[in-house]
Amino acid sequence: MRILSGIKPSNVPTLGNYLGAMQNFVKLQNEYKDADIIVFVADLHSITVPIDRQELKKDIRSLAALYIAVGLDPVRTHIFIQSEVPCHSELSFVLECNSYIGEMERMIQFKEKSVKQGLTVSTGLLTYPCLMASDILLYDANYVPVGEDQKQHVELTRDIAIRFNNKYGETFTVPEPLIMKAGARIMSLQDPAHKMSKTDPNPKGYITLLDDINEAKNKIKRAVTDSLGVVKYDKENQGALANLMTIYSNLSGLSYEEIEKKYEGLGYKEFKEDLAEIVGSTLEKIQTKYYEIIKSPELDRILDEGRDYAYSIARKKLSKVYKRIGLGRN
Ligand code: AMP
Ligand code: TRP
């Protein structure tokens, strides 16, 4: 059984990325001892929208180090950088030829991002789900842990895999998205109607894993809340508080009921102060490990090993695909 996932290295990951994705990679790694686990830095995905060269370079290394800092064990989990394994781009073109423009245009993420960018939308942003499908299908991944917002792309990957298998014979494993309900959608600290995102123009809305600890604590303390003043999980009427409770519950391991009980008769202030401490100590742990690993040659060794492992699997699969289609001389 193989579990595979990736994150785009665009800016530093947020608490949303951590709770919706990274933390789940670690849980899966620790739970499924027999599974082969691959987690990569999806750097090709980052260039679908304009990005500064220096920024990209920094973010790639930083995300790789963060994977380890949050608890991925390079002995158990193979970690690599997508662009260092050329098969991803190669298979992507083949999949583009086995998918429809209409399918790409239907993707919610494409619609949202293309509205924001108007006339300067790149072709890559449209075809990006084919690259993501390559990322998954090259490795015959059985499960793909992602946040809610990526589910549609994994479903499209399934459609493409099934279509390809029907047309050319059994070639790809049909993957399943793995959406962990808790933390699947962390919302902005300033606006519970929008997901927490590193591209939010208001930095008070998100916390990144490398934020200054005090600043991060202040963002929690100043997060918007509703006017009811009671610590109760009620997504409909107290969306902002429900979001904070989700963060609290995920980081502390307490259930919503346990949190409600703990703050019975107390206001938001105590709740937020405690949450600020919990977030602060989580970040502190991650950052300590991060600053150790980012400077060490160990990180390059891990990434070399990950690349070689990934390449050996991907190259074989790509050869099979080319053969099935009738490309090249063999
Ligand atoms: P991205 O930052 O868009 O590359 O997302 C990387 C991973 O983090 C994906 O699996 C997303 O679904 C997940 N993710 C991003 N933002 C959030 C959020 N606010 N809440 C939960 N998961 C998220
Ligand atoms: N597209 C994903 C995102 O924006 C990142 C990603 C790229 C990914 N390739 C993947 C996730 C393959 C899972 C599997 O978050």
Side-chain angles (χ1 to χ4, degrees), residues 49 104-118 121 125 149-150 152-153 185 193-195 197 199:
V49 295
M104 302 298 128
E105 285 173 341
R106 261 207 329 268
M107 294 295 109
I108 295 164
Q109 200 175 59
F110 173 73
K111 286 195 214 160
E112 282 177 1
K113 288 198 181 173
S114 54
V115 167
K116 270 191 217 154
Q117 287 189 53
V121 174
L125 189 66
D149 60 339
Q150 292 298 321
Q152 201 186 24
H153 294 148
R185 209 167 147 80
H194 286 103
K195 90 168 188 174
S197 163
T199 51

Side-chain angles (χ1 to χ4, degrees), residues 215-235:
E215 224 169 85
K217 285 188 189 170
N218 282 332
K219 284 185 193 175
I220 293 285
K221 287 182 200 159
R222 291 189 196 128
V224 296
T225 32
D226 324 83
S227 51
L228 273 112
V230 187
V231 179
K232 185 166 169 27
Y233 188 84
D234 178 356
K235 222 171 160 181

Side-chain angles (χ1 to χ4, degrees), residues 187-191 196-197 200 202-207 219:
M187 310 313 281
S188 157
L189 299 174
Q190 293 297 315
D191 175 6
M196 181 182 286
S197 163
D200 186 341
N202 182 0
K204 290 199 192 94
Y206 61 89
I207 289 176
K219 284 185 193 175

Side-chain angles (χ1 to χ4, degrees), residues 5-10 13-22 25 109 113 128 145-150 183-188 195-198:
S5 197
I7 296 180
K8 284 195 300 282
S10 314
T14 64
L15 203 54
N17 294 128
Y18 176 64
L19 296 175
M22 300 167 99
F25 303 167
Q109 200 175 59
K113 288 198 181 173
Y128 143 118
V146 281
E148 196 71 47
D149 60 339
Q150 292 298 321
R185 209 167 147 80
I186 300 298
M187 310 313 281
S188 157
K195 90 168 188 174
M196 181 182 286
S197 163
K198 44 201 170 191

